[in-house]
Amino acid sequence: MLECQRDRHVSGAWLAEELGVTRNAVWKAVEALRAEGYVVEAATNRGYRLAQENDLLSPASIERFLPDGHPFDITVRKSVDSTNAEARRRALEGAPEGVVVVAEEQTAGRGRLGKTFYSPAGAGVYLSVVLRPRLQADAAQYLICAAAVACAQAIEAVTDEEALIKWVNDIFCRGRKVAGILTEGIVDMESGRFEHAVLGMGVNVRVPASGFPSEIADVAGAVCDEAVGALRSQLAAEMLARFWSLYESLPHRSFYDEYRRRCFLLGQPIVVARNGSRVRARAVDLTEDFKLVVELPDKTRRELPYGEVSTGPA
């Protein structure tokens, strides 16, 4: 209720009447919120107000930035092993499409190819969505690329930072990785279609108080030097809404041109790491189904459906 009335004070008497509790119960609830880290202002004869600088995530704080009639059922957890793992557990229990798991912290956040995703409390947006796409498994790349475009668009909308895509699933701002996408799913072997998919998006909103771990300090960055207000909630809502608009027409790949425009590897010398080897190449194009076209030193070309690429030396 305080989230919905964030711009004004709300009297304790009104809250008590609306909730069917005593004024003392309202006071205790406010104290409980303060103990969780919320800044709740209190003014005599005016009531309570949630301070504008609050950036703790909650379903209400995210939903106030979403359009009416949105399809999401949002849960926010203080800490989970991985939002993808939690969403996958819920999908296996029959959770419908649109269930969203958001976490303040991941203790075992994961990226592609078994990598970890550093996810400390209060520093980022970590969320996963349960999907039940009518999609062949070999088109999973569409989900990843749609999410990458949505994530880049959301970052730009909220922060004004230019967001570029490193094929296939990383988002960069000012030359540093600020976000990653991870898609997992279960496929019906008979039809080749997804029974369900889980889409995870993780964004570094601010640099953690203790900095990034040494192994990623040279690469990792954040979308803001200083995040103010409910920026994380707004970013989460933008990511979800923009992804859903692309997801609803996924087979049409309406986002292809924008993905290609943001893909900063095109035209660059790269190193391709596959099957334990590293090969120099040049990224020259992107196919309509999002395979990276590379030119090898002998001038032959290959289409990479997946793989790890970098701009560093072999």
Side-chain angles (χ1 to χ4, degrees):
M1 294 178 81
L2 292 175
E3 284 284 6
C4 292
Q5 308 285 334
R6 187 182 272 249
D7 296 332
R8 59 181 67 86
H9 284 82
V10 184
S11 77
W14 182 82
L15 286 167
E17 183 177 350
E18 288 293 308
L19 295 169
V21 298
T22 65
R23 290 279 299 274
N24 190 54
V26 169
W27 177 81
K28 287 182 178 179
V30 168
E31 290 304 302
L33 288 175
R34 287 171 171 159
E36 286 189 28
Y38 288 94
V39 179
V40 182
E41 300 168 351
T44 305
N45 298 324
R46 298 179 69 189
Y48 301 105
R49 185 177 73 165
L50 200 59
Q52 295 296 319
E53 64 267 23
N54 278 297
D55 195 30
L56 294 180
L57 297 167
S58 70
S61 72
I62 295 169
E63 286 169 3
R64 74 189 186 99
F65 293 107
L66 286 169
D68 293 339
H70 68 80
F72 304 112
D73 178 4
I74 301 172
T75 298
V76 175
R77 299 280 303 276
K78 285 191 178 299
S79 181
V80 295
D81 50 354
S82 150
T83 59
N84 257 34
E86 177 66 16
R88 191 169 65 249
R89 289 189 285 266
R90 297 188 183 202
L92 290 170
E93 293 169 357
E97 185 167 74
V99 163
V100 179
V101 178
V102 184
E104 282 280 358
E105 172 191 44
Q106 295 183 114
T107 58
R110 293 180 295 115
R112 287 177 68 244
L113 306 176
K115 294 182 178 180
T116 60
F117 188 88
Y118 185 57
S119 320
V125 171
Y126 323 116
L127 63 83
S128 296
V129 189
V130 174
L131 303 171
R132 298 194 179 274
R134 293 184 291 276
L135 193 69
Q136 294 294 127
D138 59 6
Q141 199 92 317
Y142 298 178
L143 286 172
I144 298 171
C145 295
V149 169
C151 190
Q153 289 176 334
I155 290 170
E156 288 188 354
V158 174
T159 69
D160 291 328
E161 285 285 349
E162 182 184 34
L164 301 176
I165 298 170
K166 176 177 174 285
W167 184 85
V168 60
N169 68 322
D170 293 335
I171 312 300
F172 277 62
C173 291
R174 292 177 287 180
R176 288 182 171 264
K177 178 182 174 179
V178 299
I181 315 293
L182 178 64
T183 301
E184 301 175 291
I186 289 182
V187 176
D188 182 282
M189 297 301 291
E190 193 170 304
S191 67
R193 292 179 178 269
F194 281 107
E195 290 185 1
H196 74 257
V198 170
L199 173 75
M201 294 185 276
V203 182
N204 302 327
V205 174
R206 56 170 72 88
V207 176
S210 58
F212 290 108
S214 58
E215 60 268 24
I216 62 171
D218 291 341
V219 177
V223 298
C224 292
D225 293 327
E226 297 216 0
V228 296
L231 186 143
R232 289 193 301 151
S233 294
Q234 185 180 2
L235 180 59
E238 288 280 350
M239 289 159 60
L240 289 169
R242 289 172 184 272
F243 169 74
W244 199 261
S245 69
L246 299 178
Y247 177 68
E248 288 185 308
S249 59
L250 196 66
H252 300 299
R253 292 166 289 183
S254 61
F255 50 91
Y256 171 83
D257 287 342
E258 183 163 0
Y259 184 96
R260 191 181 191 285
R261 177 179 65 81
R262 293 179 185 270
C263 190
F264 66 84
L265 290 183
L266 296 183
Q268 300 298 315
I270 61 171
V271 175
V272 180
R274 294 191 71 186
N275 302 321
S277 64
R278 293 167 63 84
V279 180
R280 289 182 181 275
R282 181 177 292 274
V284 294
D285 206 354
L286 194 70
T287 68
E288 290 187 356
D289 54 355
F290 302 98
K291 295 184 179 73
L292 186 67
V293 181
V294 300
E295 185 177 86
L296 301 176
D298 63 4
K299 302 302 180 182
T300 60
R301 292 190 175 191
R302 292 184 184 173
E303 296 178 359
L304 303 182
Y306 63 91
E308 190 73 5
V309 299
S310 67
T311 55

